[in-house]
């Protein structure tokens, strides 16, 4: 009797030790805590309306390190089904970047982000499907979210205007696009999905990637009996520029980055940041993205500069250059919105003028008005920017809130 009790106790202790090691607070999942050093600094999320699915586009180890370093996901699902916790699910993770769904922008503030080790155009493993199914079931139950609110990143990401797409557009990412397909969704327990893009239908965005749109909303080839239909979706990922395949199609928003290398047919090479005349890139030019890191959904690359990121305001903001949410930091110290400057002003802004595209003015801070008062829980995110009275522009992830001078201005993504 006594001996039996001891055995039961030992069993309990063993189980306890196992749960501690695995960090498993949710039953039926192998959860391992690998919290980001940024976890504790992230504000609690005020609401949870979506779960956003991502593919890492790289192997597990390096992805886990990067995601932890920048606090870019709540969970990572490895190929063997292990689920790593990176940011506490109650806090804000930076995973969706420039995003919009049903008119609501910046979904980081209202979503849980799950990264899946794998690639947007390749199948995920059986172990990942099993783990994802259970993780989703539990998160959907905690947050009361229907299947139609579990969305691939590519469905909600959008791009700022550029020389190829002068309007804000869908297609900035192909991240996790196969998780928009009915057949794969069914395998992870999701039985409903959006049947159209609400922001495209409402005219807020245009479609910049027709192949992606077919994957997300077109007929699912796996659901059809015909084998030939499985090649109906052209997701041509060739890295060579030709008619109908632009630098943007290949590199997306990395097209003009220093880490994007163009190798011309004559053998010479150039960095994306050195190219000015995007209209004259010859067919046969090969594009290599050397630094995928700069594709992070953080924010450091969002402050742009006339003369550096583009010849003029139009090249940087395209169709949005005179919009109220394009912010100009003029060289004389004034800060103006696109709709406050005359066309003549806009055309002649000198090199060195800095810009934020797609940003809202949170106003001035003072002793009586803190950063949190002005912009809420997003105050310390990398995508929030502070403009100090001396003209310096600093990301929210780098500021010390107790040292913000009077009359500091704050800007948050729309
Ligand atoms: Zn993603």
């Amino acid at each position: 009797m006594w001996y039996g009790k001891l055995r039961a106790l030992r069993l309990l202790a063993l189980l306890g030790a196992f749960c501690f090691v695995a960090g498993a607070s949710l039953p039926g999942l192998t959860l391992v805590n690998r919290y980001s050093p940024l976890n504790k600094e992230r504000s609690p999320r005020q609401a949870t309306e979506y779960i956003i699915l991502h593919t890492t586009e790289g192997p597990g180890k390096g992805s886990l390190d990067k995601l932890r370093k920048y606090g870019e996901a709540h969970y990572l699902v490895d190929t063997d089904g292990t689920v790593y916790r990176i940011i506490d699910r109650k806090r804000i993770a930076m995973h969706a970047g420039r995003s919009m769904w049903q008119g609501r922008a910046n979904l980081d503030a209202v979503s849980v982000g799950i990264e899946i080790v794998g690639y947007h155009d390749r199948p995920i493993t059986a172990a990942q499907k099993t783990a994802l199914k259970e993780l989703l079931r539990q998160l959907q139950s905690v947050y009361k979210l229907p299947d139609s609110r579990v969305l691939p990143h590519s469905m909600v990401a959008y791009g700022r205007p550029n020389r190829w797409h002068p309007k804000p557009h869908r297609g900035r990412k192909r991240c996790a696009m196969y998780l928009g397909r009915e057949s794969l969704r069914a395998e992870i327990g999701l039985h409903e999905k959006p049947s159209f893009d609400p922001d495209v239908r409402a005219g807020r965005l245009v479609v910049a990637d027709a192949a992606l749109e077919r994957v997300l909303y077109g007929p699912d080839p796996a659901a059809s009996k015909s084998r030939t239909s499985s090649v109906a979706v052209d997701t041509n990922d060739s890295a060579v520029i030709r008619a109908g395949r632009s630098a943007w199609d290949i590199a997306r928003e990395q097209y003009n980055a220093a880490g994007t290398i163009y190798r011309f047919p004559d053998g010479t090479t150039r960095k994306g940041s050195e190219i000015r005349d995007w209209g004259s890139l010859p067919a046969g030019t090969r594009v290599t993205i050397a630094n995928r890191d700069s594709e992070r959904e953080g924010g450091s690359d969002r402050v742009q500069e006339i003369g550096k990121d583009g010849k003029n305001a139009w090249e940087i903001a395209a169709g949005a250059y005179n919009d109220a949410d394009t912010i100009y930091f003029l060289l004389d110290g004034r800060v103006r919105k696109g709709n406050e400057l005359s066309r003549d002003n806009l055309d002649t802004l000198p090199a060195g003028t800095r810009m934020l595209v797609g940003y809202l003015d949170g106003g001035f801070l003072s002793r009586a008005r803190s950063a949190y008062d002005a912009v809420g829980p997003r105050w310390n995110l990398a995508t929030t920017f502070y403009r100090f009275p001396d003209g310096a522009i600093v990301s929210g992830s780098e500021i010390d809130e107790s040292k913000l001078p009077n009359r500091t201005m704050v800007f948050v993504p729309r």
Side-chain angles (χ1 to χ4, degrees):
M1 181 76 177
W2 183 86
Y3 190 66
K5 249 187 194 161
L6 186 68
R7 271 176 62 181
L9 276 171
R10 276 164 95 182
L11 193 67
L12 270 174
L14 251 167
L15 271 172
F18 174 76
C19 288
F20 180 76
V21 169
S25 68
L26 303 173
L29 269 184
T30 309
L31 270 166
V32 178
N33 292 338
R34 285 282 191 279
Y35 284 117
S36 161
L38 298 171
N39 181 50
K40 291 229 162 63
E41 294 169 24
R42 292 290 169 79
S43 302
R45 230 179 17 262
Q46 310 282 294
T48 304
E49 294 169 21
Y50 302 98
I51 297 171
I52 309 295
L53 304 174
H54 305 262
T55 38
T56 57
E57 308 300 314
K61 175 71 174 80
S63 301
L64 179 60
D65 292 346
K66 262 185 232 167
L67 293 167
R68 290 187 70 241
K69 182 173 176 194
Y70 301 111
E72 288 181 324
H74 294 94
Y75 301 96
L76 173 73
V77 183
D78 210 342
T79 46
D80 66 358
T82 305
V83 177
Y84 296 96
R85 278 198 192 101
I86 296 166
I87 293 285
D88 185 303
R89 66 171 169 79
K90 297 187 180 114
R91 298 177 184 269
I92 295 177
M94 307 284 296
H95 58 96
R98 193 174 296 104
S99 51
M100 183 190 290
W101 192 251
Q102 293 185 332
R104 150 105 221 193
N106 289 294
L107 301 182
D108 283 338
V110 290
S111 66
V112 172
I114 302 175
E115 285 275 356
I116 302 157
V117 176
Y119 299 85
H120 69 279
D121 55 354
R122 286 181 223 167
I124 61 174
T125 69
Q128 283 176 315
K129 288 174 196 169
T130 307
L132 205 46
K133 186 173 184 176
E134 180 58 19
L135 181 62
L136 288 174
R137 191 191 67 73
Q138 298 189 16
L139 289 170
Q140 286 181 260
S141 142
V142 169
Y143 294 112
K144 311 267 180 293
L145 297 176
D147 294 354
S148 57
R149 286 176 175 254
V150 182
L151 305 172
H153 187 196
S154 44
M155 209 176 240
V156 301
Y158 77 96
R160 61 175 177 241
N162 59 43
R163 71 175 307 284
W164 292 278
H165 307 288
K167 290 185 172 165
H169 50 272
R170 208 64 97 183
R172 181 172 70 83
K173 292 261 166 185
R174 284 186 170 181
C175 187
M177 69 178 185
Y178 280 0
L179 286 151
R181 278 186 166 163
E182 274 136 43
S183 51
L184 181 50
R185 290 174 71 84
E187 290 186 74
I188 55 170
L190 302 173
H191 302 286
E192 271 172 52
K193 67 169 235 182
S195 57
F196 61 89
D197 187 323
D199 300 294
V200 169
R201 186 164 286 190
R204 289 183 282 263
L205 301 175
V206 299
V207 172
D209 183 344
L212 172 68
E213 208 203 15
R214 281 195 297 276
V215 171
L216 297 178
Y217 304 105
D220 184 342
S224 138
K225 296 281 172 283
S226 150
R227 267 199 81 72
T228 50
S229 64
S230 66
V231 292
V233 176
D234 169 24
T235 54
N236 182 353
D237 278 337
S238 159
V240 178
I241 291 174
R242 56 172 167 72
R245 188 154 179 81
S246 68
W248 181 87
D249 289 330
I250 297 165
R252 306 286 149 140
E253 290 187 350
Q254 296 291 97
Y255 75 90
N256 59 356
T260 300
I261 309 298
Y262 292 78
R263 186 177 189 88
F264 301 115
D266 68 6
T268 60
T269 59
R270 265 186 136 173
K271 295 176 183 169
S273 56
E274 296 167 347
I275 296 175
R276 293 285 172 268
D277 189 2
W278 293 98
S280 68
L281 293 179
T285 299
R286 180 169 290 277
V287 186
T288 313
I289 302 161
N291 181 14
R292 285 259 171 210
D293 234 25
S294 49
E295 214 180 350
R296 296 190 302 105
E297 291 292 357
S300 49
D301 62 336
R302 295 199 182 187
V303 180
Q304 299 183 88
E305 193 178 315
I306 290 175
K308 184 173 157 222
D309 300 303
K311 275 201 286 266
N312 52 36
W314 201 90
E315 275 206 353
I316 291 173
Y321 80 114
N322 58 355
D323 285 1
D325 58 12
T326 296
I327 314 289
Y328 292 87
F329 302 92
L330 306 181
L331 293 182
D332 64 9
R334 289 177 303 149
V335 179
R336 290 288 180 270
K337 298 175 182 137
N339 64 345
E340 294 169 343
L341 293 170
S342 74
R343 176 117 197 193
D344 286 350
N345 284 153
L346 284 162
D347 287 342
T348 56
L349 287 170
T353 304
R354 288 167 300 172
M355 299 169 60
L356 280 169
V357 182
Y359 269 72
L360 299 176
D361 180 358
F364 287 103
L365 307 181
S366 65
R367 245 174 240 117
R369 189 168 187 267
S370 72
Y372 194 95
D373 292 338
V375 296
R378 290 196 275 160
W379 72 271
N380 66 347
L381 297 185
T383 47
T384 296
F385 287 97
Y386 291 82
R387 192 261 188 193
F388 287 74
D390 68 2
I393 300 174
V394 180
S395 157
S397 62
E398 285 159 26
I399 58 140
D400 178 348
E401 203 203 9
S402 64
K403 293 195 182 121
L404 290 175
N406 224 10
R407 302 213 35 94
T408 295
M409 299 175 82
V410 60
F411 300 89
V412 285
R414 180 163 55 94

